[in-house]
C-alpha cells in the first residue's frame, strides 16, 4: 500500500490529542509517546538545553522546575491575530501556526514509524464552532489549523466535526436517536444522529465555546486568585480612599492560554506597584513570586488536580500551591465545585436542548446519550444532562480516543468511495 492510500485521523485537542487509522477493518490507535494513545497538547521551551519538549515531556519539565516557557491550550488561539505574530522562542522566531505544526508533525512522525510508510493525508477533527459568535473568526480558525497541518507536511487536509466522528465510533442506537455530548478542553459539541445505511446519519450538530479550561479558569478565579490579591484593597497614589485591585490580571492568570503572555517587565512592575499600595501586601507578594518564577501553569495544574479530586469519591480536593509559599493549600470542596460550575452545566444542558430543537426532535426521541471528552466526566455535566433527558441511556465512550477512532473509520469509508 502506498503512502497516498493512508489517511490519518487526528483529534487535535485543547488538552490532549490522538491519532488513528483503520487497518483490516479495525481501528488502530497510534502510540504517540511511550506507548500512550494520547499526547498532551503542550510545549516546553527549555532555556538551558535549548530543546523544545512536547507532550508528557513538556509537563514533566514544568513539574521538575526547569527553566523555560510552558504552553498549553493553543487550540483556543486559533482564529486570533496571535496565531501569526512571530515571537522569540529559544533560538528562533516562530508563529503559533509553526508551533502547532511541529506538534502535528510529531503525530505524523509517530504514525509513519508505526505504519512503516509515509503519511501525507489527514482527516482532522474540529469543533462545530471554534468561535460560535463570529463566523469570520471561525473560518479563520480552520484556515489556521489547515496551515499548521501543511506546515507539518500533510499535503491533503480535510475536516469533520468532532461529535460526528464520535457518533461514527459509537455506532447507531438500537432505536430512536442518539446524542453525542463532547465536552473537551475548549468547546462543548453536540451531534444528534440516527441509524443510517451502513452506519450513522447525522441530523444536526451544534457547538459552544465552553470547555474544561473554562471550568478551571472559573475555579482558579473564584478560589485561588483571592490568595494572590484579587479583591484586595489598594491605597490611592494621590488623595485619600481605597481602590480594589483591577481584576483583569487575575482573569488572565486563571486562563490557560493567556498565562505565558503575563511574564513581562510591565506586568511585574504593575504588581510591585500594587504590593506597595496594598492594605494587605502578602497576597500581592505571592503574586509577585508567581510572575518572577513563572508559576502560572503550576497554579493551573494544581487547580485541575483539585477539580478532579473534588469530582471523585472523596468529593473534596485542594489546589496545592506550596510552590508559591510553603504550606499554601486552597480547598476545593464538592459544594463549591458544584456552585461555580453550575452556570456552565446549565449552558451545556441548554446547548443540548438547542440541538434537539434544530432537528425538530423532543427529549423523548433520544434513546442514548454518549459522552466523550475528558471534561464530560464531571458530575455536574452528567447530572444536568440526565435531568434534561431522563428516559435516555447515558453511556461513556472511550472519552479520550473516540473522536480519533471515528475519524479513522470515516477516512476509510471515504476512501471506499463514500463522499463527505
Amino acid at each position: 500500500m502506498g503512502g497516498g492510500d493512508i489517511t490519518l485521523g487526528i483529534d487535535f485537542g485543547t488538552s490532549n490529542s490522538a491519532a488513528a487509522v483503520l487497518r483490516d477493518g479495525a481501528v488502530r490507535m497510534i502510540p504517540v509517546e511511550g506507548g500512550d494513545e494520547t499526547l498532551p497538547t503542550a510545549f516546553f521551551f527549555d532555556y538551558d538545553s535549548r530543546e523544545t519538549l512536547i507532550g508528557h515531556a513538556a509537563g514533566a519539565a514544568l513539574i521538575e522546575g526547569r527553566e523555560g516557557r510552558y504552553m498549553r491550550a493553543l487550540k483556543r488561539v486559533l482564529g486570533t491575530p496571535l496565531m501569526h505574530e512571530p515571537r522569540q522562542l529559544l533560538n528562533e522566531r516562530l508563529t503559533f501556526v509553526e508551533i502547532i505544526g511541529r506538534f502535528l508533525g510529531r503525530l505524523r512522525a509517530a504514525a509513519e514509524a508505526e505504519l512503516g510508510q509515509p503519511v501525507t493525508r489527514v482527516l482532522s477533527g474540529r469543533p462545530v464552532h471554534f468561535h460560535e459568535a463570529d463566523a469570520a473568526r471561525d473560518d479563520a480558525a480552520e484556515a489556521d489549523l489547515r496551515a499548521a497541518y501543511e506546515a507539518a507536511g500533510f499535503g491533503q487536509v480535510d475536516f469533520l466535526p468532532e461529535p460526528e466522528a464520535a457518533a461514527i465510533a459509537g455506532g447507531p442506537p438500537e432505536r430512536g436517536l442518539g446524542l453525542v455530548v463532547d465536552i473537551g478542553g475548549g468547546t462543548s459539541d453536540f451531534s444528534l444522529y440516527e441509524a443510517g445505511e451502513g452506519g450513522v446519519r447525522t441530523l444536526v450538530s451544534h457547538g459552544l465555546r465552553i470547555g474544561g479550561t473554562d471550568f478551571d479558569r472559573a475555579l482558579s478565579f473564584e478560589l485561588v486568585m483571592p490568595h494572590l490579591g484579587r479583591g484586595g484593597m489598594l491605597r490611592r497614589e494621590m488623595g485619600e480612599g481605597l481602590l480594589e485591585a483591577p481584576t483583569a490580571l487575575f482573569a488572565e492568570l486563571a486562563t490557560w492560554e493567556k498565562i505565558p503572555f503575563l511574564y513581562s517587565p510591565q506586568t511585574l512592575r504593575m504588581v510591585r506597584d500594587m504590593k506597595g499600595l496594598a492594605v494587605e501586601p502578602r497576597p500581592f507578594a505571592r503574586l509577585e513570586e508567581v510572575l518572577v518564577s513563572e508559576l502560572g501553569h503550576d497554579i493551573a495544574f494544581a487547580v485541575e488536580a483539585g477539580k478532579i479530586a473534588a469530582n471523585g469519591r472523596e468529593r473534596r480536593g485542594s489546589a496545592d500551591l506550596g510552590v508559591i509559599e510553603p504550606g499554601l493549600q486552597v480547598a476545593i470542596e464538592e459544594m463549591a465545585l458544584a456552585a461555580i460550575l453550575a452556570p456552565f452545566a446549565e449552558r451545556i444542558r441548554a446547548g443540548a436542548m438547542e440541538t434537539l430543537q434544530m432537528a425538530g426532535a423532543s427529549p423523548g426521541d433520544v434513546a442514548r446519550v454518549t459522552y466523550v471528552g475528558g471534561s464530560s466526566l464531571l458530575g455536574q455535566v452528567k447530572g444536568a444532562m440526565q435531568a434534561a433527558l431522563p428516559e435516555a441511556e447515558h453511556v461513556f465512550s472511550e472519552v479520550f480516543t473516540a473522536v480519533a477512532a471515528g475519524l479513522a473509520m470515516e477516512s476509510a469509508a471515504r476512501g471506499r468511495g463514500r463522499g463527505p
Side-chain angles (χ1 to χ4, degrees), residues 152-173:
F154 288 99
Q156 180 178 323
V157 183
D158 294 304
F159 294 98
L160 182 72
E162 291 156 359
E164 295 183 22
I168 292 168

Side-chain angles (χ1 to χ4, degrees), residues 1 14 23-24 33 56 65 119 156 179 234 240 250 262 281 283 287 300 306 329 375 409:
M1 181 182 291
T14 301
R23 276 290 182 87
D24 301 322
E33 187 177 42
H56 293 290
V119 178
Q156 180 178 323
L179 177 68
L234 310 178
E240 298 181 356
F250 301 103
L262 294 176
L287 180 59
Q329 300 267 343
S375 295
M409 294 166 69

Side-chain angles (χ1 to χ4, degrees), residues 105-120:
R106 173 68 66 86
L107 296 178
R108 178 175 172 241
E112 291 182 337
E114 177 71 11
L115 301 172
Q117 62 188 89
V119 178
T120 60

Side-chain angles (χ1 to χ4, degrees), residues 31-257:
V32 287
E33 187 177 42
D36 290 344
E37 294 180 348
T38 60
L39 183 69
T41 312
F43 296 83
F44 188 86
F45 299 91
D46 192 302
Y47 292 160
D48 294 327
S49 70
R50 317 306 288 177
E51 291 179 284
T52 299
L53 304 176
I54 288 175
H56 293 290
L62 179 71
I63 293 169
E64 290 167 10
R66 292 162 66 173
E67 290 294 318
R69 178 63 51 85
Y70 181 83
M71 291 183 177
R72 186 181 175 188
L74 294 186
K75 187 176 180 180
R76 302 207 82 180
V77 185
L78 292 167
T80 73
L82 290 172
M83 285 296 300
H84 301 278
E85 293 179 4
R87 59 197 68 248
Q88 191 69 34
L89 292 166
L90 303 181
N91 301 321
E92 302 177 277
R93 286 184 65 78
L94 300 170
T95 66
F96 280 134
V97 169
E98 293 168 315
I99 294 169
I100 293 173
R102 293 187 179 185
F103 181 87
L104 297 171
R106 173 68 66 86
L107 296 178
R108 178 175 172 241
E112 291 182 337
E114 177 71 11
L115 301 172
Q117 62 188 89
V119 178
T120 60
R121 297 177 8 179
V122 63
L123 179 62
S124 172
R126 57 151 290 169
V128 176
H129 301 295
F130 290 95
H131 301 275
E132 61 186 288
D134 190 332
R137 180 167 284 189
D138 199 51
D139 291 341
E142 183 176 294
D144 286 344
L145 186 52
R146 182 182 300 277
Y149 274 110
E150 290 170 349
F154 288 99
Q156 180 178 323
V157 183
D158 294 304
F159 294 98
L160 182 72
E162 291 156 359
E164 295 183 22
I168 292 168
E174 294 182 3
R175 60 178 179 81
L177 304 179
L179 177 68
V180 167
V181 178
D182 180 0
I183 315 297
T187 57
S188 296
D189 292 317
F190 314 91
S191 279
L192 189 68
Y193 64 98
E194 64 182 358
E197 184 177 349
V200 304
R201 183 172 74 91
T202 299
L203 301 178
V204 67
S205 294
H206 182 42
L208 311 171
R209 191 174 165 85
I210 295 173
T213 57
D214 296 293
F215 305 161
D216 294 347
R217 173 182 51 78
L219 290 168
S220 182
F221 186 77
E222 294 294 336
L223 301 178
V224 172
M225 292 302 142
H227 295 269
L228 303 181
R230 184 178 79 81
M233 302 307 295
L234 310 178
R235 301 178 183 89
R236 293 180 183 271
E237 291 187 82
M238 303 289 291
E240 298 181 356
L242 300 174
L243 295 171
E244 185 174 323
T247 61
L249 170 61
F250 301 103
E252 291 183 356
L253 186 57
T255 304
W256 277 99
E257 68 269 22

